[in-house]
Amino acid sequence: MRLAKIDWALAAILGAMTIGVTACGSSSSSSGGLPTKIGNGEGQLNLVAWEGYAQPEWVKPFETATGCQVHAKYAGSSDEMVTLMRQGGGSTYDMVSASGDASLRLISGGNVGAMNVNLVPEWKNFIPQLQSPSHNTVNGVHYGISLQWGPNVLLYNSSKVKPAPTSWEAIYSPKYKGSVTVPANPIQIADAALYLSKAQPSLGITDPYELTEPQLNAAVSLLKQQRPLIKKYWTAAADEVELFKNGDAVIGAAWPLQTNNLQADKVPVGELIPAQGATGWADTWMLAAHAKHPNCAYKWVNWVSTPKVQAEQAISFGETPANTRACPFMEQIKKGSCGRYHANAPSAYFESIKFWKTPVKNCGNGKSDCTDYSVWQKKWTEITA
Amino acid sequence: MDGTTRTRVSAALFRRPWLRAGLLLSAPGGWFIFIYLGALFLLFLSALWTVDSFSGKIVHSWSLANFETLFKVSAYRTIALRTIGIAAAVTVTDIVLAVPFAFFAARIAPKRLQAILFVAVLIPLWSSYLVRVFAWRLILSKDGILNWFVGNVGLGSLNIGYSNWAMWIVFSYIWLPFMILPVWAAIERVPDSFIEASADLGARGWRSFRLILLPLILPGILAGSIFTFSLTLGDFITPTLVGGAGSTFIGNVVYQEVGISNNVPFAAAFATVPLVVMGIYLLIARRMGAFEAL
C-alpha cells in the first residue's frame, strides 16, 4: 500500500494544484446574463445527487425525450456535495441536488449560478414556501429550483423493538446498546439538539441549528454518551439497509428511502416522526456556475418538476413533492400515497419540520455568539473518533 | 551510425562503466526522483498550507497549524494510535499463523502437497480485495454464518460484526499470504544439516527452533512484517466496510478531509504520520537484516 499511498498523495496534490490554478483563473460571470430560452441539449448531463434521486424510472424517459445522457454521482452528505461541486474548478458537474445546509455555502462560494425560473413553467405550481425559500433565493435572485422535501425519521425493526418507540429517546437510551445506527454526518448534532430542546427545556434551545457554546456542548455530551450504543455510523443509505437486514441494527435515524427499500425486501420495519418532531431536508436542483451542459440542465429541472415525475420520485424516495399538482399522480401510482407522504398536508406540517441549514455565527436574534459549522465538524470528529 | 562509430561508442562506454550505468539508470532514476520523491516533497509542502474555512480555498502561506491540530486534538491521537496498534496486532497474528504453516510446507510436506499448499496460499490473491472484505462482512454480521455456526454448537452468539475485532480478523486474513511467502522462502533456505547438527548436539525440537532456525529466518519474518504492517497502516477500505462506531483509521480521516471537507493540507499533514512511522519501522528492520531476505 506504500505505492498506493503515494498515488493517493499525488492525486491529492494534483487536485490541490488544479483547484489553486483554476481558482486564480476563474472570473465571476455577470449575473445579468440569464438565458431567456432553452436551447438544444448538449447530449450530456452530469449530476451530483442524493442516493435515489436519479432512478432509471424517470431518468430513462428523460434521456429518450431529450437525448441528454445522465451521469449521476451519489453523494452521502451535504459536505461531500459541496466538495464535489468545488473540485476540478467547478465544471465537472452541471447540477447538484443541494439540501438547505449546502445551498447557501455553494451560493456564497460562487460555485452555483443564478437560474431563470420563468423557464420552468411548473415552478408556479410549487407550494408557496418553496418558490423563493431563503435557502436558495438570495436578494430576489433564484439560485435553483426546489425539488422535494421531507423529514428524517426514526426507523425500527418492528419485530425486535417492542413496544414501538414514540420518542427520539430510543436512540439515546442503553436499551438497544450495540444495535443503534445514525448517519455519519456532523449535522446529526442538530438531531441531538432537537431532542434536548424538549428533554431539557432549561437549555433554552429554540432552533437546533442556532446553538450557543453551552447548548452545543450539551448536545455533544449527549452524542458522546450515545457513541457506545452505536453499531455503525452509516454513510450510504444502502449501508443502513444492510445493517437492518442482517440484524446488526434494530433502531436508528433514517430517511424514508430506507424504510421503503427494507419493506420491499420484506424486512419487518416501521418508521415514525417522534413526539419531539424531526429535522428534515428541502432540496434544490442548483446549476453549477461553470456548467458545461446548461441546456440539458434546464431540460432536467423542467422534467423533474412535472407532476408525474414529482410523484414518481416522491413515492420512490418517500418524500413530499414541491409541486402541488403531484397528488393525483401519486394516487394513480399507489393508492393512499398522497396522504402518506403529506402531499396534501396543511402548511402547518411544513412549518413543523426543522429543515437542515448551515449553522453560522449569527444567531438570527441580533446576537452572534452561535457556533458555526466548522466548530460542529470538529466536535463531530471528537465524538466519532 | 556506421560500424566504426558504433564500435567507438561501445568502446567508450566500456571504458567508462559509470557512464554506462548512468545511461541505463536515467529513466528509472528520473521516474524515482520526479514522481516518487517529488510527490513526497509536495505532500510535505502542502501540509504546511491551510484552508480558508469560509470559501474553502487553499491559503498559500506557511504555518504549522495542521501539525499543531494533529498533536493537540486528542481525537487524532486516538485515531493514529488505533491505526498503529491494529497494524501491530495484525502483524503479530500473521507471524504466529505463518511460521508454523511455512515450516510445515517447506520442511515436512511432501513435494506434491507443497505445490498444492503454494497454490492455496496464492489463490485468495486472485480474487478482488473488495469481494473478500464483503464476504467477511456477511460472515461476521449478526445473522451471518459465524453466528449460525456458533449458535448451532450451543455457544449463544458472538457480536463482533462491525467492530475492531472484525477489522483485526479481516486484516489478518487479507495480508496473511504476504507474510507466508517470505517466511517460507527463508525456512527453505536453512540447510537440513544445521538442524541435524543441532539435534546431534542434544538440542530438542523447541531449542533447535529457538536457537538455530529462528535467528536464520528472522530476516524473512521481518520482510513479511513490513508488508503486513504497512498495508494495514495505509488501508481505509476495510475500516469503512467492516469497522464499527470507533474504527476510524488514519486513511479514513485523509479520505474524509480530501473528499468531504475539501481540506487537502490537513489530509497531507495526517498522511505524513504513517510515512514517519513506516520510516522508523524500516530503519529498525534494516538494522535487524530484513532486506537480506527480500
Side-chain angles (χ1 to χ4, degrees), chain A residues 58-347:
Chain A
W58 58 89
V59 167
K60 283 268 174 311
F62 170 75
E63 288 177 335
T64 323
T66 63
C68 299
Q69 289 297 313
V70 174
H71 304 283
K73 157 101 182 147
Y74 285 152
S77 68
S78 291
D79 293 350
E80 194 176 355
M81 286 191 172
V82 172
T83 297
L84 285 170
M85 292 307 286
R86 284 178 178 171
Q87 274 167 356
S91 64
T92 317
Y93 299 102
D94 300 304
M95 298 205 93
V96 56
S97 64
S99 298
D101 58 331
S103 52
L104 285 180
R105 271 187 274 170
L106 290 166
I107 295 171
S108 67
N111 311 107
V112 292
M115 288 186 81
N116 186 354
V117 290
N118 297 326
L119 294 179
V120 186
E122 288 291 345
W123 176 78
K124 290 187 200 71
N125 299 322
F126 284 7
I127 58 168
Q129 294 97 323
L130 286 180
Q131 290 191 354
S132 310
S134 61
H135 59 251
N136 68 25
T137 308
V138 179
N139 298 330
V141 180
H142 295 272
Y143 287 92
I145 309 296
S146 290
L147 178 66
Q148 309 251 343
W149 53 284
N152 292 308
V153 294
L154 180 60
L155 174 68
Y156 62 97
N157 184 316
S158 50
S159 71
K160 290 185 183 151
V161 177
K162 281 177 183 166
T166 55
S167 156
W168 282 113
E169 198 205 335
I171 60 169
Y172 300 107
S173 82
K175 196 172 168 198
Y176 300 106
K177 189 169 190 235
S179 302
V180 180
T181 180
V182 298
N185 188 342
I187 209 76
Q188 196 60 27
I189 292 173
D191 282 56
L194 178 70
Y195 168 69
L196 286 176
S197 71
K198 301 282 155 61
Q200 287 180 39
S202 59
L203 285 167
I205 298 173
T206 49
D207 183 327
Y209 305 96
E210 291 169 357
L211 303 178
T212 60
E213 208 168 322
Q215 291 168 343
L216 177 70
N217 287 341
V220 168
S221 85
L222 176 67
L223 289 167
K224 279 186 177 163
Q225 284 167 36
Q226 186 197 36
R227 176 36 220 276
L229 318 177
I230 300 283
K231 182 85 223 176
K232 190 173 178 65
Y233 292 100
W234 60 267
T235 44
D239 264 355
E240 192 178 27
V241 168
E242 198 182 330
L243 286 167
F244 270 83
K245 246 190 222 169
N246 292 329
D248 286 298
V250 299
I251 194 160
W255 305 330
L257 171 71
Q258 282 89 306
T259 317
N260 285 356
N261 289 350
L262 284 163
Q263 283 173 348
D265 282 343
K266 306 266 182 294
V267 182
V269 292
E271 67 165 46
L272 78 153
I273 298 175
Q276 294 89 353
T279 59
W281 68 89
D283 294 342
T284 305
W285 277 115
M286 305 183 97
L287 180 65
H290 306 289
K292 283 182 188 141
H293 314 102
N295 289 332
C296 276
Y298 270 101
K299 285 176 196 286
W300 173 252
V301 288
N302 267 307
W303 180 258
V304 295
S305 299
T306 55
K308 181 162 177 280
V309 179
Q310 285 262 310
E312 285 170 349
Q313 177 168 346
I315 290 170
S316 166
F317 193 94
E319 55 190 351
T320 314
N323 194 327
T324 50
R325 290 172 49 215
C327 196
F329 291 88
M330 289 174 83
E331 288 298 312
Q332 239 174 55
I333 300 171
K334 202 172 166 192
K335 259 221 143 359
S337 62
C338 176
R340 182 173 168 200
Y341 299 121
H342 314 284
N344 52 4
S347 66

Side-chain angles (χ1 to χ4, degrees), chain B residues 27-141:
Chain B
W31 183 88
F32 183 78
I33 289 168
F34 288 112
I35 307 284
Y36 194 84
L37 294 181
L40 281 185
F41 175 72
L42 282 175
L43 182 75
F44 276 112
L45 200 67
S46 66
L48 299 172
W49 293 335
T50 48
V51 161
D52 185 280
S53 69
F54 186 71
S55 68
K57 285 178 180 146
I58 290 175
V59 182
H60 295 122
S61 61
W62 310 114
S63 98
L64 287 171
N66 289 327
F67 290 99
E68 214 181 302
T69 317
L70 273 186
F71 284 107
K72 275 200 181 145
V73 179
S74 66
Y76 297 120
R77 264 202 314 272
T78 313
I79 290 167
L81 289 177
R82 175 189 299 132
T83 311
I84 296 167
I86 289 185
V90 167
T91 303
V92 171
T93 312
D94 278 349
I95 292 173
V96 170
L97 293 175
V99 170
F101 179 89
F103 184 82
F104 173 81
R107 306 201 79 95
I108 299 171
K111 273 274 170 285
R112 278 264 302 273
L113 185 59
Q114 254 184 24
I116 294 170
L117 287 176
F118 192 72
V119 173
V121 170
L122 286 181
I123 275 183
L125 297 180
W126 297 356
S127 69
S128 152
Y129 169 100
L130 270 181
V131 172
R132 284 178 285 150
V133 177
F134 268 114
W136 273 103
R137 186 158 138 153
L138 290 178
I139 293 170
L140 297 173
S141 71

Side-chain angles (χ1 to χ4, degrees), chain A residues 29-46:
Chain A
S29 53
S30 60
S31 53
L34 281 182
T36 48
K37 67 176 179 63
I38 305 172
N40 288 329
E42 296 89 350
Q44 215 194 96
L45 180 66
N46 300 324

Side-chain angles (χ1 to χ4, degrees), chain B residues 18-30:
Chain B
W18 53 268
L19 184 64
R20 195 173 44 178
L23 284 174
L24 269 175
L25 290 176
S26 62

Side-chain angles (χ1 to χ4, degrees), chain B:
Chain B
M1 221 193 272
D2 58 45
T4 41
T5 358
R6 206 180 295 158
T7 324
R8 217 176 292 156
V9 167
S10 76
L13 282 175
F14 180 75
R15 262 178 275 121
R16 297 176 188 79
W18 53 268
L19 184 64
R20 195 173 44 178
L23 284 174
L24 269 175
L25 290 176
S26 62
W31 183 88
F32 183 78
I33 289 168
F34 288 112
I35 307 284
Y36 194 84
L37 294 181
L40 281 185
F41 175 72
L42 282 175
L43 182 75
F44 276 112
L45 200 67
S46 66
L48 299 172
W49 293 335
T50 48
V51 161
D52 185 280
S53 69
F54 186 71
S55 68
K57 285 178 180 146
I58 290 175
V59 182
H60 295 122
S61 61
W62 310 114
S63 98
L64 287 171
N66 289 327
F67 290 99
E68 214 181 302
T69 317
L70 273 186
F71 284 107
K72 275 200 181 145
V73 179
S74 66
Y76 297 120
R77 264 202 314 272
T78 313
I79 290 167
L81 289 177
R82 175 189 299 132
T83 311
I84 296 167
I86 289 185
V90 167
T91 303
V92 171
T93 312
D94 278 349
I95 292 173
V96 170
L97 293 175
V99 170
F101 179 89
F103 184 82
F104 173 81
R107 306 201 79 95
I108 299 171
K111 273 274 170 285
R112 278 264 302 273
L113 185 59
Q114 254 184 24
I116 294 170
L117 287 176
F118 192 72
V119 173
V121 170
L122 286 181
I123 275 183
L125 297 180
W126 297 356
S127 69
S128 152
Y129 169 100
L130 270 181
V131 172
R132 284 178 285 150
V133 177
F134 268 114
W136 273 103
R137 186 158 138 153
L138 290 178
I139 293 170
L140 297 173
S141 71
K142 193 157 189 183
D143 297 341
I145 301 162
L146 178 74
N147 273 339
W148 172 82
F149 180 77
V150 172
N152 276 1
V153 173
L155 292 172
S157 92
L158 285 167
N159 202 0
I160 58 168
Y162 304 102
S163 67
N164 289 344
W165 292 106
M167 279 205 294
W168 170 65
I169 293 170
V170 174
F171 273 133
S172 299
Y173 159 78
I174 295 223
W175 307 136
L176 187 59
F178 296 93
M179 178 63 83
I180 289 179
L181 294 178
V183 174
W184 186 329
I187 292 180
E188 221 166 25
R189 263 188 289 186
V190 178
D192 287 340
S193 54
F194 282 29
I195 314 280
E196 283 159 17
S198 169
D200 289 347
L201 290 171
R204 283 165 202 257
W206 171 242
R207 208 160 167 206
S208 287
F209 173 77
R210 199 162 49 91
L211 295 177
I212 309 297
L213 194 65
L214 195 60
L216 287 170
I217 65 166
L218 192 63
I221 293 176
L222 282 169
S225 78
I226 291 170
F227 290 127
T228 55
F229 190 74
S230 68
L231 288 170
T232 313
L233 208 58
D235 202 276
F236 67 97
I237 298 167
T238 299
T240 314
L241 294 179
V242 301
S247 300
T248 316
F249 261 39
I250 293 175
N252 298 99
V253 176
V254 171
Y255 180 79
Q256 279 162 17
E257 291 295 331
V258 175
I260 297 174
S261 309
N262 205 17
N263 191 344
V264 176
F266 186 78
F270 212 1
T272 57
V273 172
L275 222 59
V276 171
V277 172
M278 229 22 241
I280 297 169
Y281 192 86
L282 286 174
L283 276 180
I284 298 172
R286 202 178 73 113
R287 275 276 169 88
M288 297 173 79
F291 298 111
E292 290 154 28
L294 279 180

